[in-house]
Amino acid sequence: MIAKFGSSWAEVWLLVLGVVLSSCRSSDTAKTEAEPASGTTPAAASTADVIEIGLLAPFSGPFASLGAQIEGGIKAYLDTQGGTIDGRKVELLVRDTTGVPDVAKRLAQGLIVRDQVDFLAGFALTPVAMAVAPLATEAKKPMVIMNAATSSITTKSPYVVRVSLTLPQVTAPLATWAAKNGIRNVYSLVSDYAPGADAEAQFKKTFEAAGGKVVAADKVPVNNPDFAPFVQRVKDAKPEAVFVFVPAGTQGIAFMKAAHERGLGEAGIRIIATGDLTEDQQIDPMGDAALGVVTTHHYSAAHTSPENDVFKAAFAKVAGTQLRPNFMAVGGYDGMAAIAAVVRKLGPGKIDGDRAIEAFKGLELTSPRGPLRIDAETRDVVQTVYVRKVEKRGEHYYNVEFEEYPAQKDPGK
Ligand code: PHB
């Protein structure tokens, strides 16, 4: 099935909305333990002594794991700083978007008008980031994207800054690597929404420029329950490899299950993907089926550096040892580190949105993922992209980095 991008977007999000409304608590009351004054009274609007951050992410519904990772990452960074920045207390106002753009808009409005937060942060999913961006412009509020990865998000408001990744940024090196390593024809299979469209387009552009051929391009619904029919079509087309983008969370496991059951490996079809497929939280449940899958991404829990050791220890302290931090957690950690750097740079006094966004431009961090810079012109992240292969170490599975592409900008702009 080649689904049409424009029409299926609305359908998919209505579907997600249905699932969410039938299965979730009210987003107003979600995560109330983190809402100041239960979110009912006019908040202690941020003062010069308190930095208030409105965290918008999904904590229920199909993408709940994304919110938990981002929140864990933010809290891990704050823990390394004793909970304060420059002697100022940090308050996190956590709001559950449930992954639905209209819910996120309403919650963002409350954070801006009633709570008067200094920063909006989080944004796991592209449609939510796109929906909130105009509100950030209107209110002149810095909006820190800790995951959402569609290239064009940073162009939707001059107040958006991104510390995570873009799909074209991590996809281009994979296409280059595949062409260099003798893969000549590839079947493209992506989730049917904006990041998937970005991934599909960039893979084709880079791979075909390097002499490869994308033999077919198929799309799956965003919250797809069963990959069997899609995987069967891949198998029937007999490509040398299938290129996959699915959002982090349960989709990766659903794809790998179908790939295993349909015997893609036995048919000699390699799986190559952006790192969302084998993200750290979901890789162990995939088990041996994931061995040998080659992906490109900006973060692996197996990355060896002192900064990653500090990050993982802090994350375990705030979120427990059962949850392995993934790239979303690093997005939260680095996003919080970037906010802290901006607060320190601005000095005492109430945060001014315009001065804050200027301070983000050109910012450099040594992240648990490696070096990171915010491009002063685009407000987008520049970073190393690693090529990794899934390997088993002891009882656990990891994305083991074996090649790197330093200082990658978003090729989408
Ligand atoms: C996105 O919606 O932009 C998104 C979500 C999950 C991912 C990557 C991108 O793993």
Side-chain angles (χ1 to χ4, degrees):
M1 175 188 75
I2 311 277
K4 245 180 83 228
F5 177 65
S7 60
S8 57
W9 167 285
E11 282 161 22
V12 163
W13 287 99
L14 279 176
L15 190 79
V16 172
L17 178 63
V19 172
V20 163
L21 291 182
S22 64
S23 66
C24 299
R25 56 205 167 148
S26 149
S27 58
D28 270 341
T29 55
K31 304 290 286 183
T32 47
E33 78 278 7
E35 291 186 16
S38 339
T40 50
T41 50
S46 68
T47 64
D49 300 334
V50 181
I51 304 296
E52 290 201 335
I53 300 171
L55 171 59
L56 289 156
F59 294 95
S60 58
F63 297 105
S65 70
L66 282 55
Q69 288 276 352
I70 290 177
E71 185 183 9
I74 293 174
K75 289 186 168 165
Y77 180 79
L78 288 173
D79 189 72
T80 67
Q81 308 297 305
T84 61
I85 304 173
D86 242 3
R88 295 160 84 173
K89 196 169 163 257
V90 178
E91 263 180 22
L92 203 55
L93 285 74
V94 183
R95 300 292 185 268
D96 180 8
T97 66
T98 69
V100 177
D102 280 346
V103 173
K105 261 163 81 174
R106 184 165 51 75
L107 293 171
Q109 198 73 46
L111 288 167
I112 292 167
V113 175
R114 186 189 59 201
D115 301 315
Q116 298 179 30
V117 296
D118 299 300
F119 298 89
L120 294 170
F123 306 102
L125 300 166
T126 288
V128 162
M130 296 283 201
V132 174
L135 304 185
T137 306
E138 205 181 311
K140 298 182 186 294
K141 281 292 164 216
M143 174 172 161
V144 182
I145 308 286
M146 294 171 164
N147 182 65
T150 299
S151 174
S152 63
I153 290 172
T154 45
T155 68
K156 301 299 176 195
S157 167
Y159 292 89
V160 167
V161 56
R162 175 157 43 198
V163 298
S164 49
L165 74 154
T166 82
L167 254 310
Q169 179 183 53
V170 295
T171 299
L174 181 67
T176 302
W177 178 87
K180 263 203 211 149
N181 285 274
I183 297 175
R184 288 154 304 167
N185 59 75
V186 168
Y187 192 111
S188 169
L189 186 66
V190 303
S191 274
D192 189 11
Y193 77 130
D198 267 11
E200 180 188 289
Q202 189 66 49
F203 189 88
K204 184 174 168 66
K205 187 174 172 193
T206 307
F207 189 57
E208 296 198 340
K213 176 88 192 130
V214 173
V215 293
D218 206 349
K219 290 185 169 73
V220 300
V222 173
N223 200 21
N224 184 35
D226 181 12
F227 279 82
F230 298 97
V231 168
Q232 187 59 48
R233 276 203 291 279
V234 173
K235 199 173 168 193
D236 293 345
K238 299 188 172 61
E240 288 173 352
V242 55
F243 162 65
V244 182
F245 164 74
V246 288
T250 53
Q251 288 291 281
I253 293 185
F255 170 80
M256 291 304 294
K257 182 171 173 285
H260 183 64
E261 283 169 4
R262 301 266 153 168
L264 273 198
E266 287 79 21
I269 300 168
R270 297 182 66 173
I271 299 169
I272 58 174
T274 63
D276 311 84
L277 179 70
T278 58
E279 53 106 339
D280 279 289
Q281 188 179 341
Q282 308 295 345
I283 193 170
D284 268 349
M286 292 177 183
D288 283 354
L291 285 175
V293 171
V294 170
T295 59
T296 42
H297 231 205
H298 54 305
Y299 177 72
S300 164
H303 182 72
T304 49
S305 71
E307 291 80 14
N308 198 25
D309 290 344
V310 169
F311 162 67
K312 286 192 290 186
F315 189 89
K317 207 169 141 200
V318 300
T321 50
Q322 292 309 305
L323 185 63
R324 192 197 290 180
N326 68 12
F327 66 96
M328 308 250 175
V330 170
Y333 186 87
D334 288 338
M336 193 57 235
I339 290 172
V342 164
V343 168
R344 289 189 197 104
K345 211 156 151 188
L346 295 188
K350 176 96 179 97
I351 301 293
D352 173 80
D354 286 308
R355 284 185 64 220
I357 211 71
E358 283 310 307
F360 276 112
K361 294 179 183 173
L363 194 84
E364 292 185 16
L365 295 175
T366 306
S367 157
R369 68 186 96 169
L372 175 163
R373 177 165 61 83
I374 303 299
D375 183 66
E377 226 171 277
T378 61
R379 289 163 276 104
D380 222 335
V381 60
V382 182
Q383 60 189 332
T384 304
V385 174
Y386 304 87
V387 191
R388 313 96 51 86
K389 189 191 264 177
V390 177
E391 290 178 14
K392 192 170 186 188
R393 290 186 168 173
E395 290 302 297
H396 299 286
Y397 297 81
Y398 289 96
N399 296 294
V400 178
E401 296 164 350
F402 64 91
E403 208 172 297
E404 59 187 65
Y405 291 73
Q408 296 295 296
K409 281 188 161 189
D410 176 34
K413 45 178 94 74

